[in-house]
Amino acid sequence: MGKINHVEKLTDSRFVNLYNVKATSVHNTPVSYYVASPATDIEDLKLKTKRNKPDGVIIYAIYGEKRDRVVLVRQYRYTLDDYIYEFPAGLVEPGEDFHEGAARELREETGLTLTPLKVDKSFERPYFTTVGMTDESCASVYGYASGEISTRGQEASEEIEVVLADRQEVRRILREENVAIMCAYMLMHFLQDDEPFAFLEAGIE
């Protein structure tokens, strides 16, 4: 196992910061590694706390009386200079339970109201997103969305289109569009399962 010798904070931003990690590898060679993190200081990095507290939340929500459409956002991302399909998502605010954060984020991004499902903790616990680049982890919340689409809660910096996609549109999106990987995997299940949330019933043994 490698050994971390020193961590230096390189930026001072509100939502994400860059850290340089100086380490020694298991092969006794020097390592200089860069980590992006929502942490505002070194002591809050997960390599220091060793606690997997969710930084963000991802919302997998089904819409409609027939429960045959999934709530997606088509969002412009500067990293791609293009649009990408994602689930509604966002950061968990300090002191906020991630279930509360999910309802707030869905309302802000889409105008819709979330009725969350109670699920086995193994399905909603925070998992890491892109661990080769960041220590960010996100919890998942599942449920049903209702109401009318509105973009009034979106921030001025956001460019988001709300999409209520049926299975035919999901197939097209997976074939033709940029899609976030966490969203893509769930959409593949959505295509195959008559009941989108059937997989939540069993839990993980």
Side-chain angles (χ1 to χ4, degrees):
M1 188 164 132
K3 178 184 177 183
I4 294 174
N5 303 313
H6 179 72
V7 180
E8 180 184 2
K9 185 181 181 184
L10 302 179
T11 62
D12 189 20
S13 299
R14 179 182 175 190
F15 296 115
V16 64
N17 285 290
L18 186 65
Y19 296 84
N20 181 218
V21 177
K22 300 291 187 181
T24 304
S25 78
V26 68
H27 306 293
N28 203 34
T29 56
V31 174
S32 181
Y33 204 90
Y34 293 92
V35 177
S37 176
T40 56
D41 58 57
I42 291 171
E43 294 306 312
D44 286 334
L45 289 167
K46 290 185 175 68
L47 61 84
K48 289 285 189 179
T49 67
K50 303 298 182 181
R51 291 185 293 108
N52 186 12
K53 179 181 176 182
D55 305 293
V57 64
I58 298 170
I59 306 109
Y60 180 16
I62 300 299
Y63 184 88
E65 290 184 6
K66 295 182 179 179
R67 297 180 174 177
D68 59 349
R69 286 180 285 174
V70 60
V71 181
L72 303 175
V73 292
R74 179 177 178 265
Q75 184 164 193
Y76 175 80
R77 292 293 193 180
Y78 291 102
T79 48
L80 303 177
D81 189 23
D82 204 349
Y83 293 90
I84 185 169
Y85 284 81
E86 308 172 62
F87 282 140
L91 295 176
V92 178
E93 295 182 350
E96 182 180 53
D97 177 80
F98 70 83
H99 300 92
E100 297 170 346
R104 174 184 53 76
E105 286 290 345
L106 188 71
R107 184 173 60 255
E108 291 175 357
E109 290 193 355
T110 71
L112 300 175
T113 299
L114 179 68
T115 302
L117 294 174
K118 291 184 178 180
V119 302
D120 187 282
K121 291 187 182 299
S122 56
F123 287 107
E124 64 178 12
R125 65 184 290 258
Y127 291 105
F128 293 96
T129 55
T130 312
V131 74
M133 298 177 62
T134 177
D135 68 350
E136 177 192 59
S137 66
C138 290
S140 299
V141 172
Y142 311 84
Y144 297 102
S146 60
E148 299 295 325
I149 291 173
S150 171
T151 59
R152 289 193 297 271
Q154 294 179 11
E155 297 180 9
S157 60
E158 293 177 319
E159 189 175 339
I160 297 175
E161 174 191 353
V162 183
V163 178
L164 304 177
D166 61 15
R167 286 178 171 82
Q168 181 177 349
E169 177 63 1
V170 165
R171 289 187 180 92
R172 187 200 68 79
I173 289 169
L174 289 173
R175 285 195 307 264
E176 301 176 8
E177 304 288 352
N178 296 322
V179 185
I181 191 167
M182 293 172 287
C183 176
Y185 286 147
M186 285 299 187
L187 292 182
M188 294 173 194
H189 282 287
F190 177 74
L191 287 179
Q192 298 301 318
D193 299 334
D194 292 334
E195 169 49 57
F197 293 136
F199 71 95
L200 296 172
E201 297 175 2
I204 296 176
E205 298 297 333

